[in-house]
Amino acid sequence: MVDRDDLNHYCNQYLSVSKYKDYCPNGLQVEGSQTINKIVSGVSANLDFIELAIAEQADAIFVHHGIFWENESNVIVGSKKKKIDLLLKNEINLFAYHLPLDDHPDVGNNVQLGRVLGIKNMKPVDSSLLWQGELNTDLKTFSSLIEKQLGRAPQLFGRLSGPLNSIAWCTGGAQGFIDEAISLKSDVYLSGEVSERTPAVAKENDMIYISAGHYATERYGVQSLTKHLSSKFNLEHQFLEVENSV
Ligand SMILES: [Zn+2]
């Protein structure tokens, strides 16, 4: 059992929340019960996920994508009202960690995905959200490994004339950072989604772009964080999957 405010304080320190300029609040987004025994984790706090958390009688939810974003309207109507209403009625605390969770050196989405995909010599790129590392493989083998580990076939774009050695990656919807991957001279850039311009940019710069799924690439950070919290504070924990093909 842990006190909600102690857990919030611990997470904010552990994830260095104050270091990040983000477009959503990181930390406790909706206040629920004061004491917490059971936590559940997931990628996004959508309605399906909140209903699963209620069925599991969770005291707290941990997600990567919370329910408040700067680019969205801040009035509480429609599905947002429904979600907040369910959380309040069931006294469920909602904790959300966005960029601090992508970037963390141990439980972060990027480092965790790198481990899942067997990337060597992983390191964060200075003053950027990208990570870089090395692969000792060919594209066909790497693509099969991604499919096996993430449970879905990745989309491949572009072309590469030389061997496949260096990789840069950033989980989620970070296809726009392909220009940074080009400046790092990466053979492959991997992220979760793809834009109309991405295939041509990859091809024109003699590199491969891999779209491996926004949801699929961001399943690991929050699981790793809550596993850590569960052992540190002796909490019951469960990861709740809400299938998403994007
Ligand atoms: Zn995301």
Side-chain angles (χ1 to χ4, degrees):
M1 186 194 291
V2 64
D3 181 86
R4 173 228 304 141
D5 301 324
D6 294 344
L7 186 60
N8 189 31
H9 180 74
Y10 176 80
C11 291
N12 288 346
Q13 298 286 313
Y14 181 65
L15 296 170
S16 310
V17 160
S18 60
K19 232 178 75 184
Y20 294 88
K21 198 180 153 11
D22 209 336
Y23 48 97
C24 64
N26 285 294
L28 185 64
Q29 289 196 343
V30 177
E31 199 174 279
S33 62
Q34 186 74 46
T35 56
I36 295 171
N37 282 305
K38 179 164 187 181
I39 59 176
V40 294
S41 62
V43 177
S44 302
N46 50 42
L47 201 50
D48 286 347
F49 178 81
I50 291 171
E51 283 168 353
L52 285 176
I54 292 168
E56 290 299 332
Q57 300 187 303
D59 301 312
I61 281 173
F62 281 80
V63 288
H64 183 48
H65 305 131
I67 56 177
F68 301 109
W69 299 94
E70 268 174 24
N71 55 1
E72 282 183 6
S73 164
N74 54 14
V75 296
I76 301 174
V77 296
S79 68
K80 192 174 277 181
K81 184 238 171 185
K82 202 163 177 183
K83 286 187 265 192
I84 294 170
D85 192 35
L86 283 174
L87 291 170
L88 294 176
K89 272 190 191 136
N90 290 279
E91 291 207 288
I92 298 178
N93 292 280
L94 170 64
F95 293 90
Y97 298 96
H98 186 236
L99 295 184
L101 187 59
D102 285 324
D103 208 31
H104 191 271
D106 189 31
V107 301
N109 276 320
N110 282 319
V111 70
Q112 288 292 331
L113 181 69
R115 285 177 192 152
V116 166
L117 299 181
I119 299 171
K120 308 273 184 301
N121 298 322
M122 295 190 281
K123 57 175 191 212
V125 178
D126 279 344
S127 60
S128 151
L129 289 168
L130 263 59
W131 278 58
Q132 59 183 341
E134 287 158 28
L135 293 171
N136 294 317
T137 185
D138 57 80
L139 188 58
K140 197 161 169 273
T141 313
F142 188 52
S143 169
S144 310
L145 175 75
I146 295 170
E147 181 167 0
K148 180 172 159 262
Q149 295 293 72
L150 305 193
R152 52 185 282 174
Q155 288 181 284
L156 310 182
F157 303 96
R159 65 161 174 236
L160 181 66
S161 46
L164 193 163
N165 293 322
S166 59
I167 179 167
W169 73 101
C170 186
T171 61
Q175 65 270 35
F177 296 158
I178 191 169
D179 304 300
E180 282 188 50
I182 292 165
S183 66
L184 295 168
K185 301 196 189 315
S186 302
D187 300 323
V188 178
Y189 178 52
L190 180 152
S191 187
E193 296 185 34
V194 61
S195 298
E196 190 276 341
R197 74 186 276 267
T198 326
V201 174
K203 189 175 169 192
E204 290 160 12
N205 288 280
D206 194 28
M207 75 186 305
I208 301 294
Y209 177 69
I210 302 179
S211 171
H214 190 140
Y215 180 87
T217 58
E218 295 200 319
R219 293 169 70 252
Y220 302 100
V222 77
Q223 286 189 69
S224 176
L225 169 67
T226 42
K227 206 171 146 200
H228 168 81
L229 296 174
S230 132
S231 72
K232 177 148 186 86
F233 296 103
N234 195 24
L235 304 170
E236 236 187 289
H237 167 244
Q238 210 177 330
F239 177 73
L240 304 176
E241 200 87 72
V242 176
E243 276 308 322
N244 185 336
S245 59
V246 177

